Amino acid sequence: VSFLSRDGKTKVVAYLFKPANASDKLPAIVMLHGRGGAYSSLANGRYDATTLSSRHKAWGELLAKNGYAALMVDDFGAVGYPAGFAAGTYKDRPDAVDEVEYRPLHAYGALRFLQARPDVIPNRIALLGWSNGASTALAAMADDKPGDMRKIGFTAGVALYPGCGLKKRYDQNGYKPYHPVRVFIGDADEEVSPKLCRALVDRSKAAGNDIALRTFEGATHSYDTPTRSRQSVQANAIAKAATEAEILAFFASKLKP
């Protein structure tokens, strides 16, 4: 499928997972990829549904199996970077993929697209992101968004191993989500700082916001990726199973009557 970003100009491609033979309107999840993009590292120039990464396919199928319409968004491809970016390139990436200023606009475009569909419950849509997409999810859920965005906004947000610096946007006044947010991270993450996320969440929670952090001992970055290299680490396998169960329970509590 495709939709127009909230920026009013960027046409974004996405992939919709749905339960088999669904007859009723569904709650929905918008999914945001990390710095590696939506596709497999083995895509070899072919960027479509057949080359989505194993993590994104697995989560789309899991959410559909549990009664959600799940929309996997490829917003890097929309701005000319479908293959994403290698680790360690953060400072060299173009402004078009900024996770605080621009990527949230694509997330809200996805929200509007789902709200307009006759098979989706328009006020029961959550946001789920990984890594850079998790940072985007945090930024998108912040209450500094224009009022009309919050009014039609996401019911809840989940961020898996985000970079919690968020361009220092919330350093002065703290991070305040307008609806519940949950953050998941491994304490052995090699790409982002668990300590920084703990500080962000603790400060936000102390200010009375509905936010919580789940930390997994020994789990690495991308611990939920269903590949042998990641799942051969016992801490990752344990964290993956727990994360899936806890996210499904969280989404059910917020999105299902």
Side-chain angles (χ1 to χ4, degrees):
V1 299
S2 63
F3 61 86
L4 188 66
S5 168
R6 190 182 165 84
D7 68 9
K9 60 183 180 180
T10 305
K11 186 176 181 181
V12 183
V13 169
Y15 303 90
L16 185 63
F17 296 80
K18 287 181 62 179
N21 304 316
S23 56
D24 297 327
K25 284 191 172 186
L26 302 167
I29 315 292
V30 171
M31 303 192 296
L32 301 175
H33 60 73
R35 54 103 179 143
Y39 306 98
S40 167
S41 59
L42 304 177
N44 196 29
R46 179 175 181 175
Y47 303 113
D48 59 25
T50 66
T51 58
L52 283 174
S53 79
S54 59
R55 180 178 68 200
H56 301 141
K57 284 182 181 178
W59 272 99
E61 291 166 358
L62 178 67
L63 291 168
K65 182 180 178 181
N66 282 273
Y68 300 96
L71 187 68
M72 183 65 235
V73 176
D74 169 25
D75 58 304
F76 277 9
V79 294
Y81 301 92
F85 302 90
T89 61
Y90 186 75
K91 293 181 179 179
D92 301 320
R93 296 173 198 169
D95 290 343
V97 299
D98 187 298
E99 70 274 19
V100 176
E101 293 293 336
Y102 298 113
R103 294 195 70 193
L105 297 175
H106 308 321
Y108 278 91
L111 174 66
R112 282 205 264 190
F113 167 77
L114 287 172
Q115 288 175 325
R117 289 181 62 92
D119 54 352
V120 170
I121 305 171
N123 62 345
R124 292 182 186 160
I125 302 173
L127 184 59
L128 168 64
W130 296 267
S131 194
N132 187 267
S135 300
T136 305
L138 291 176
M141 295 297 299
D143 78 340
D144 61 349
K145 300 297 168 289
D148 62 322
M149 290 173 74
R150 297 197 305 275
K151 184 177 180 180
I152 67 162
F154 292 99
T155 304
V158 170
L160 276 76
Y161 36 89
C164 289
L166 300 175
K167 307 288 187 180
K168 300 187 177 184
R169 170 73 67 86
Y170 309 103
D171 285 4
Q172 183 174 352
N173 297 319
Y175 175 73
K176 182 180 180 181
Y178 65 80
H179 280 155
V181 166
R182 299 294 181 265
V183 182
F184 296 80
I185 198 166
D187 70 2
D189 197 299
E190 66 274 30
E191 287 199 29
V192 298
S193 169
K195 183 178 180 180
L196 200 60
C197 286
R198 170 59 68 188
L200 178 87
V201 171
D202 283 352
R203 184 183 179 193
S204 182
K205 192 172 183 179
N209 297 304
D210 189 350
I211 187 170
L213 174 67
R214 179 76 153 94
T215 303
F216 296 99
E217 183 178 357
T220 69
H221 200 71
S222 301
Y223 65 75
D224 60 319
T225 300
T227 57
R228 182 177 298 179
S229 60
R230 287 296 179 188
Q231 297 312 304
S232 61
V233 178
Q234 185 179 20
N236 287 348
I238 292 171
K240 177 179 181 293
T243 295
E244 290 171 353
E246 291 177 27
I247 288 177
L248 288 174
F250 176 64
F251 282 158
S253 72
K254 303 302 179 185
L255 300 179
K256 293 185 177 181

